[in-house]
Amino acid sequence: MSDSMKVAELWSRSSKYLESASKSTYEQWFSQITPLCIEEDKLLLGVPDEFFGDWIRDNLADLLHDAIINACGRDYNLEFESGHQIQLINTDVEAPEVLAPVQEEIKPVQPVQTVAGKCAENCHARHTFETFVVGEGNRYAYSAAATAAKDPGVFNPLYIYGGPGLGKTHLIQAVANDVVRRNPNAVVRYTSCEDFLNAYVDSMRNKTHFEFREHFRNVDLLLIDDVHILSGKAGLQEEFFNTFNTLHNGNKQIILTSDKPPAEIPGLENRLVSRFESGITTQITPPLYETRLAILKQEQESMHLKLDDSILEFIARRISSNIRPLKAALLHLQIYASAMQETITIETVESLLADILNKEAENRTVSIDAIQKAVAEHFGLHVHDLTGSKRPKNIAEPRMMAMYLSRKLTNCSHKEIGLAFGGRNHATVIHAVKEVEDACVRNDEIKRALTSIQHRLQVEDAVS
């Protein structure tokens, strides 16, 4: 029996075990794994991307090892190789209804007759306009992407930027999939800038530069993720510049994503900055509460998970940085629900998601103004009491606590904090911080007050 047949048979048996353990977890995760090969004590599995592989390794490795042992009577060291997409077949011609997180929702692209199961190369079949939740932070980007799919070349290039986990890849893959479904003969090329770089290096090493250029220039639509990778790479920028010009002059649609606008990418040549800014540049910002809640509701449906609305609302309030931790939270709850077969409560959520929730709270940006307002409200004062010159104990202590929190929760210097509190000098702030630190050791009431105010700042304000 060949190695390929061995690994296929092993994975087939393992899959049956995994599906019987939890069908929803299997469909969400294990069904998207491609068995590649067995090398001595190592089992190599293909996954869509590094994030996917990391989640399997960190959260589902024990279950996967159990399945392998059950299948063949021994265990293997697991390794994951990214870049292997499973094209999920979708026989539904009509698109599912888009969840509307805000009242003035952009209407999705009008449904057209599509080819069932068609998916652009290297793109995930579930990355469609129908599964992209539109909110205030991504509305313009969604509209521009929908236009680029329907009328290629109108917005050219389309440049979408924003932080990680905000849906940039989902959106441009939605364009790719939509174009392929509208026109199966369209040549659509999606890749990350890192893969573009690797292909370029390989072409130089193997003397296949002509084939490389044909691959990326003989297309109707080119989509490149993370073009900030071009930073400081002169040879790659030269190649990309020529590829860009060839496509742009031929009125072929170009869509790019990055973590920052073109002018802010260090080491990017001015001529590329100019080219990238010549079309439409749009930003995706972190989703607001209503959008986060809509995303959670949509995701739980796809995961065959049913949680009480109060739990979804709790997660949406507490997790606000980007979409990835929202999905990670649901995955934790899905695994728990399938394993424990018991009702999930708010207390359960707080316990299971403690690491995610704590990280979110630590990373949340808090302003001195917000701190002053929260402290004043907690002690029944006005903000001008904290910034004014009055010094009775019922004002002086809250003022010092507000200075302490300003130092702890913001990146402001002692001098900046002093200026925000009525022009006090930095020595006064240093003294206040030290006084509060000492007070926390001997006074539980002050410690509880600080904890309550900090919780309010880092949790309740996340709804905004």
Side-chain angles (χ1 to χ4, degrees):
M1 184 182 292
S2 67
D3 288 344
S4 61
M5 292 183 67
K6 287 181 181 177
V7 73
E9 182 178 351
L10 171 61
W11 188 247
S12 176
R13 293 178 180 177
S14 300
S15 294
K16 291 178 181 178
Y17 178 93
L18 294 168
E19 188 171 12
S20 66
S22 173
K23 186 173 182 180
S24 58
T25 302
Y26 173 79
E27 291 176 350
Q28 181 76 11
W29 295 96
F30 295 119
S31 67
Q32 299 180 57
I33 292 178
T34 303
L36 298 178
C37 66
I38 297 174
E39 297 177 359
E40 297 181 351
D41 294 331
K42 180 178 72 175
L43 173 60
L44 183 62
L45 301 173
V47 293
D49 51 46
E50 291 183 7
F51 177 76
F52 191 102
D54 288 343
W55 261 110
I56 295 288
R57 185 182 295 108
D58 295 342
N59 298 278
L60 299 172
D62 290 344
L63 179 59
L64 184 51
H65 281 294
D66 289 345
I68 293 169
I69 294 171
N70 179 268
C72 66
R74 59 161 297 183
D75 200 4
Y76 287 93
N77 295 319
L78 301 178
E79 291 192 10
F80 299 98
E81 181 178 287
S82 60
H84 296 270
Q85 299 282 351
I86 297 293
Q87 294 189 3
L88 304 178
I89 302 302
N90 178 12
T91 57
D92 296 327
V93 173
E94 292 187 5
E97 180 183 356
V98 178
L99 291 175
V102 290
Q103 291 183 344
E104 296 180 359
E105 183 73 35
I106 292 177
K107 297 297 182 182
V109 180
Q110 290 300 314
V112 296
Q113 190 68 25
T114 61
V115 179
K118 268 291 181 180
C119 175
E121 183 181 2
N122 295 331
C123 294
H124 201 296
R126 288 182 297 174
H127 284 167
T128 66
F129 287 119
E130 291 78 16
T131 59
F132 187 85
V133 178
V134 183
E136 193 64 34
N138 59 28
R139 176 176 291 136
Y140 186 60
Y142 173 91
S143 178
T147 299
K150 186 178 180 181
D151 298 307
V154 174
F155 296 156
N156 206 17
L158 173 57
Y159 186 103
I160 303 171
Y161 72 94
L166 298 182
K168 301 186 299 295
T169 296
H170 183 149
L171 195 54
I172 69 170
Q173 288 193 8
V175 175
N177 287 332
D178 192 72
V179 169
V180 167
R181 288 166 182 165
R182 289 170 181 272
N183 178 12
N185 296 320
V187 181
V188 176
R189 198 81 67 211
Y190 164 83
T191 187
S192 68
C193 194
E194 183 176 359
D195 286 343
F196 183 87
L197 167 62
N198 293 335
Y200 173 68
V201 172
D202 288 343
S203 74
M204 300 298 289
R205 182 191 305 118
N206 301 325
K207 296 181 172 55
T208 55
H209 204 53
F210 174 79
E211 290 81 359
F212 168 83
R213 288 180 173 176
E214 285 293 298
H215 183 74
F216 287 105
R217 298 184 189 183
N218 186 24
V219 300
D220 299 303
L221 172 62
L222 178 65
L223 310 100
I224 306 286
D225 244 335
D226 299 330
V227 292
H228 50 269
I229 297 295
L230 293 170
S231 174
K233 300 175 179 66
L236 184 65
Q237 290 189 37
E238 175 70 26
E239 183 62 38
F240 197 86
F241 176 80
N242 292 328
T243 297
F244 184 100
N245 281 347
T246 299
L247 295 175
H248 197 269
N249 291 339
N251 199 35
K252 305 300 184 181
Q253 180 69 59
I254 304 167
I255 303 181
L256 312 170
T257 75
S258 176
D259 62 357
K260 52 180 66 70
E264 294 182 15
I265 299 177
L268 186 66
E269 296 175 3
N270 289 334
R271 59 179 180 169
L272 276 175
V273 173
S274 176
R275 294 298 192 281
F276 292 172
E277 292 179 338
S278 64
I280 294 294
T281 298
T282 178
Q283 181 182 15
I284 294 182
T285 57
L288 299 180
Y289 170 76
E290 292 81 5
T291 310
R292 300 195 298 269
L293 185 57
I295 291 170
L296 288 170
K297 289 182 177 180
Q298 177 171 282
E299 283 299 312
Q300 78 160 355
E301 287 185 14
S302 69
M303 298 170 77
H304 308 289
L305 181 68
K306 180 58 180 175
L307 299 172
D308 189 81
D309 284 348
S310 63
I311 291 177
L312 296 180
E313 291 164 2
F314 173 82
I315 297 172
R317 285 196 304 271
R318 296 289 297 270
I319 300 177
S320 59
S321 59
N322 63 68
I323 299 169
R324 287 174 186 165
L326 288 174
K327 294 182 178 180
L330 285 184
L331 175 62
H332 276 295
L333 299 181
Q334 179 195 43
I335 295 171
Y336 179 85
S338 62
M340 303 304 293
Q341 299 294 317
E342 63 181 49
T343 303
I344 294 178
T345 64
I346 295 292
E347 291 73 21
T348 305
V349 173
E350 287 190 292
S351 176
L352 287 175
L353 306 183
D355 289 344
I356 297 175
L357 298 179
N358 290 338
K359 186 176 181 180
E360 283 286 314
E362 290 170 3
N363 293 337
R364 187 162 293 123
T365 300
V366 179
S367 67
I368 293 178
D369 288 343
I371 292 170
Q372 290 173 338
K373 181 180 178 182
V375 171
E377 290 181 354
H378 183 87
F379 289 100
L381 302 172
H382 297 287
V383 170
H384 63 75
D385 291 326
L386 302 180
T387 59
S389 59
K390 294 180 180 180
R391 301 181 63 181
K393 184 177 179 180
N394 71 313
I395 293 178
E397 282 190 354
R399 180 187 294 135
M400 288 193 292
M401 293 169 68
M403 290 181 180
Y404 167 81
L405 289 172
S406 296
R407 184 60 178 161
K408 181 180 180 181
L409 302 179
T410 76
N411 295 321
C412 296
S413 65
H414 292 107
K415 181 179 180 180
E416 291 171 326
I417 295 170
L419 290 173
F421 282 82
R424 289 172 167 81
N425 61 46
H426 73 286
T428 300
V429 178
I430 294 173
H431 171 74
V433 172
K434 181 67 167 60
E435 283 289 312
V436 174
E437 287 176 343
D438 292 342
C440 286
V441 175
R442 61 178 186 268
N443 191 322
D444 288 339
E445 186 176 346
I446 289 179
K447 189 175 181 179
R448 285 195 297 270
L450 287 169
T451 300
S452 175
I453 295 167
Q454 184 171 339
H455 181 270
R456 175 177 179 176
L457 286 164
Q458 295 184 319
V459 174
E460 294 182 4
D461 290 347
V463 175
S464 62

